[in-house]
């Protein structure tokens, strides 16, 4: 079953008649057997979103031929934003982490069990704590310390590494540093962060402390794409866990880790499976 | 927005190439603007399921013309089970209830607020308790007592009422009588029951008592289509609620009511919106 | 079982040795059989909280004797805030509501089934919509319109009604008016509101609109005590419901109603059962 | 804060007047400052359960003196089952595992972060797969293969190891072998298993396959004490995760792993913190 190779086409465009017919007609003509398809019309923006996955077994077009033919015959006509991905070409991923290692350990374990179909190329950290985990799972580790007055230098080093490895996705697994606007711009829509609160509540620093002060009865975590504005990017997934008056700050942090792990791993999995589309400041999740 | 009239096409058939292209091509030719579409391939049975909804504004075919053309040009070719529904033709519903009225009260309130787009034609009960609720919400009430030795007679009366009102869906909202195989057969796939446990655990009578005895930490409720075998029909939705050692039987029953209400109202809403397809003993929910 | 009469003692005081021994010793001396007891020490404030419930069957002290003896022998020594309640003296409740009736209908149904042990004395509204529900459940209805320039007058009328009926608890069941600081002060700790968001996210007006704009993946509701500052009072309970990109504003509002109902009814039940204690800006829930 | 040493007293006995007064009076006399206390009366069995934790800072009795005095002055009078535990004497734990390592990896990571206050003495497995994890976390690993015809021999070796290390708790972290009644009897109430279904649904082998066949909409996991009868012991915790028709067997297994991890780690944590009491076939959880 794992041997089946499939292509995934992701489309966003102004709504118009004939979209589904044109796309599915084009695929049919070239021998595609559709495995699944999802469509969504966003009423507010009047845009149409589509994710179609087909078996490559009898498909007649290779990647280059598909891109050329699809662009000319379908995509331009409907003014589509589109991309095609392949199940046998897993994304190349870099995980950034600081000193809290629970999300990293969780991602690496899921990767090992086969839950996360990714090519994790490197782990980057401003601390050395994660090195043993990296070694245990056989992933290259890059220690890039962040001295306050030399952040630009460190970021250059990070960007060089991402370029060198052809990284498709950066996962901030409790990476406690703010990325520069330049960094974000160069990897727009390809950086996923986990914030340890139910956004937009408790954005910024020390959300568990703030939640504890406020006396909330549920604590949360949010996985989102990183944009220039802190904790403001499109939300991919959120999770909450019940707490009570018996839970002190320490227990909030402990319980919160479970929400963080769940939400980040789900968001990363959806991204790796090409199930997430951007719709303005929101996400469409074709799960 | 409420004024938009749409058609919903539901399809199940053996998987084959060209299915999506043929359906969407056919719709496009006749002026359909697709609002949403969902497809699913069931690997075990190799069947394909589709739900497509389109705006009727510019659509050229009326119901009869559509049925004839779609059958001849698409459905027969692919050996489809299919039906078409219309957003402006809400299903005619009968609610059966005994003495526990919480699900009935919930459904009637949701109907009144507009959550459930249905034409609730009648409430049928073997007790008189529900009469006041029926009156309050302006729904005809039929009291059909069930004497143990004259059940067939009562069921005949029920069936006659369903036929007379052209009932599309029977909702068993904590109706504590077992329907005969004949009744079930005549409304196959069109009877939704709520069972007050997390099936298949605690099927049959007194599930809360059994759950209390076993000491479970979550109690559940299940909405399912009724088949000849008790509590065995295709599951539409399930819900659980956390309980603790502090909860005695009475509290289990109380908390369970919330799960029952949630699960039954969701299942009924999905059915009314034509989002549920049968796949053998399972359901496909295009929510 | 329902006939068992019990007393509930609620205590908050600076932590000290001998607290539990003194309280339980006092009760034992007078023939109390303890049914349940909960204690909690809040580390931040170093205060101790206790809820003890005992069977009145063999208890030797009537209410007046208990109050006098407990004050003199225990409460003053430990500088306790305390009160005693009785299971056979249900709280007198007034429900305030505007035009959205789902929380009201839910509370009244739960009251009728026996879930909420309360003496619901009156329903107050600035609209006439709720009158039929009040009549159906046999609760007196007071229509007090709120003209913008005569709000003080209307509030005087409300306060007079609360005093007249000896109301112990005011439930704001989607009552869309802000109460004056004077009103709040006169019923401090005895007004429960349901806010239709996961506080502190989306406080203030139109939270569903704001949640829809932000693209959250869970919507929430919060039940809290009302204080002078809007949406800032101690939180009693919170609930969330999963939403997706398919849910438009209308669906958020619909789904949110379920969260509102759940959270408000739980908060009211806990208050009616004397399970909620205030600890600064937070609540201790002895459920 | 971590330095605070406390004692935890766990009691189960026939309900009687004066229980709380006697226990708390005894503790007070000897200088105990109570940190938390929970009591529960089980109506069905008329038994009373208590968990009291106190600061040892000013407490006058050492372990031996406490045991002797408490037995003579309180416990015998009320026919108590009781035990005392100490926060600074963490339980000695052995983890049994087969080839699925997700629960093991989760427990070891939580142990390392300090969430699980335990002395994990050894990991026992009938396969060699877990050896690397054991090494990474620095826990001794015992490989005890299980040949079908020599199970008794292997079990003798296991029991000898448990005795040698003075193991207080055996955690079956997806250990796929049935323990003999003798093994269970020797560690009664001290073996926690995770079963990969929502018990009592799908007990026995291959629960995910059965759940997939039945078409459930929630899959679950259950942590329970092991008794002689398979999957029948007292339930400590349960968890469910939503699934849909899109989830094939493989996805059920994947999603189920999250439920297993959550439920097993919570159950183990509660046991390690002495929060679980047995009440016939049920558990009382003082969380």
């Amino acid at each position: 079953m794992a041997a089946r190779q499939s292509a995934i086409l992701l489309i966003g465009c102004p709504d118009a008649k004939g979209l589904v017919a044109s796309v599915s007609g084009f695929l049919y003509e070239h021998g595609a057997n559709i495995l699944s398809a999802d469509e969504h019309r966003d009423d507010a923006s009047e845009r149409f979103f589509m994710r179609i996955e087909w078996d490559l077994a009898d498909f007649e077009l290779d990647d280059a031929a598909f891109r050329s033919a699809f662009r000319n015959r379908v995509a331009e006509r409907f003014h589509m934003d589109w991309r095609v991905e392949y199940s046998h070409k897993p994304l190349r991923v870099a995980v950034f982490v600081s000193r809290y290692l629970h999300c990293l350990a969780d991602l690496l374990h899921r990767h090992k069990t086969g839950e996360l179909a990714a090519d994790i190329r490197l782990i980057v950290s401003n601390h050395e704590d994660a090195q043993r985990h990296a070694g245990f799972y056989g992933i290259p580790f890059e220690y890039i310390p962040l001295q306050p007055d030399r952040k630009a230098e460190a970021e250059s080093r990070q960007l060089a590494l991402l370029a060198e490895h052809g990284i498709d996705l950066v996962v901030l697994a409790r990476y406690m540093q703010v990325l520069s606007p330049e960094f974000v711009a160069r990897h727009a829509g390809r950086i996923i962060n986990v914030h340890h609160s139910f956004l937009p509540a408790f954005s910024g620093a020390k959300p568990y402390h703030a939640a504890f002060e406020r006396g909330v009865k549920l604590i949360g975590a949010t996985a989102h794409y990183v944009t220039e504005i802190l904790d403001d990017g499109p939300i991919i997934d959120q999770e909450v866990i019940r707490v009570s008056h018996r839970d002190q700050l320490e227990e909030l942090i402990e319980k919160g880790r479970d929400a963080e792990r769940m939400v980040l791993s789900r968001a990363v999995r959806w991204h790796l499976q090409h199930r997430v589309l951007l719709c303005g400041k929101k996400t469409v999740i074709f799960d």
Side-chain angles (χ1 to χ4, degrees), chain A:
Chain A
M1 186 182 290
R4 183 160 70 192
Q5 294 193 345
S6 61
I8 299 122
L9 178 61
L10 298 167
I11 298 168
C13 62
D15 190 22
K17 283 186 190 174
L19 273 167
V20 180
S22 299
V23 174
S24 56
F26 174 89
L27 292 175
Y28 177 53
E29 277 175 47
H30 296 287
N33 188 27
I34 293 176
L35 298 171
S36 73
D38 282 283
E39 289 89 18
H40 172 68
R41 186 191 186 277
D42 182 60
D43 283 348
S45 62
E46 297 190 332
R47 281 181 76 80
F48 202 80
F49 297 90
M50 208 181 311
R51 179 190 188 276
I52 302 196
E53 183 167 3
W54 66 94
D55 197 328
L56 286 172
D58 302 329
F59 196 57
E60 299 160 354
L61 305 178
D62 65 12
D63 182 52
F66 173 79
R67 286 174 193 274
S68 164
F70 186 73
R71 181 182 304 109
N72 295 335
R73 293 196 31 219
V74 182
E76 291 188 345
R77 175 176 153 215
F78 289 101
H79 309 286
M80 291 178 174
D81 290 332
W82 67 281
R83 68 179 207 266
V84 63
E85 306 279 355
Y86 298 96
S87 63
H88 52 289
K89 290 190 184 167
L91 295 188
R92 281 159 298 190
V93 174
V95 183
F96 281 40
V97 68
S98 293
R99 306 201 70 167
Y100 300 118
L101 304 182
H102 53 285
C103 284
L104 175 72
D106 183 68
L107 291 172
L108 294 178
H109 184 79
R110 289 179 196 270
H111 179 246
K112 193 177 163 68
T113 62
E115 266 180 58
L116 297 179
D119 178 4
I120 304 186
R121 286 288 177 98
L122 74 161
I123 294 166
V124 176
S125 184
N126 52 330
H127 296 278
E128 292 175 293
D129 310 52
Q131 184 145 21
R132 282 194 72 233
H133 278 82
F136 183 66
Y137 287 101
I139 314 278
F141 179 80
E142 294 286 343
Y143 169 51
I144 305 181
L146 273 165
Q147 288 144 306
D149 53 339
R150 300 173 71 177
K151 285 192 67 166
E153 197 176 306
E155 215 170 63
S156 296
R157 173 103 185 85
Q158 292 170 346
L159 284 167
L161 277 167
L162 300 185
E164 182 189 319
H165 286 85
I167 294 299
D168 299 302
L169 174 67
V170 176
V171 178
L172 307 183
R174 297 299 307 273
Y175 180 66
M176 309 307 274
Q177 299 290 329
V178 178
L179 302 175
S180 76
E182 293 70 37
F183 191 113
V184 173
R186 280 189 44 187
H187 293 271
R190 295 181 293 138
I191 310 172
I192 295 178
N193 181 46
V194 60
H195 182 74
H196 39 311
S197 84
F198 183 88
L199 289 176
F202 310 123
S203 59
K206 294 199 174 295
Y208 289 126
H209 290 74
F212 182 65
E213 281 307 305
R214 181 62 185 91
V216 294
K217 297 299 185 182
L218 299 169
I219 52 160
T222 302
H224 64 95
Y225 287 113
V226 173
T227 58
E228 282 203 14
I229 303 170
L230 190 69
D231 299 333
D232 189 58
I235 293 171
I236 307 171
D237 198 19
Q238 302 189 286
E239 189 60 83
V240 295
I241 288 183
R242 197 159 287 278
V243 295
S244 82
H245 62 271
R246 287 181 291 269
D247 293 304
Q248 297 301 303
L249 177 57
E250 199 178 341
E251 280 83 44
L252 258 58
I253 292 170
E254 256 181 46
K255 292 190 170 182
R257 286 200 286 256
D258 283 323
E260 294 167 35
R261 274 187 280 247
M262 295 287 282
V263 93
L264 181 61
S265 64
R266 279 203 301 255
V268 168
R269 180 161 37 190
W270 286 333
H271 185 98
L272 293 174
Q273 297 177 347
H274 316 295
R275 298 186 177 281
V276 191
L277 283 148
L278 283 174
C279 172
K281 277 192 57 174
K282 304 185 191 180
T283 60
V284 169
I285 313 282
F286 286 134
D287 66 329

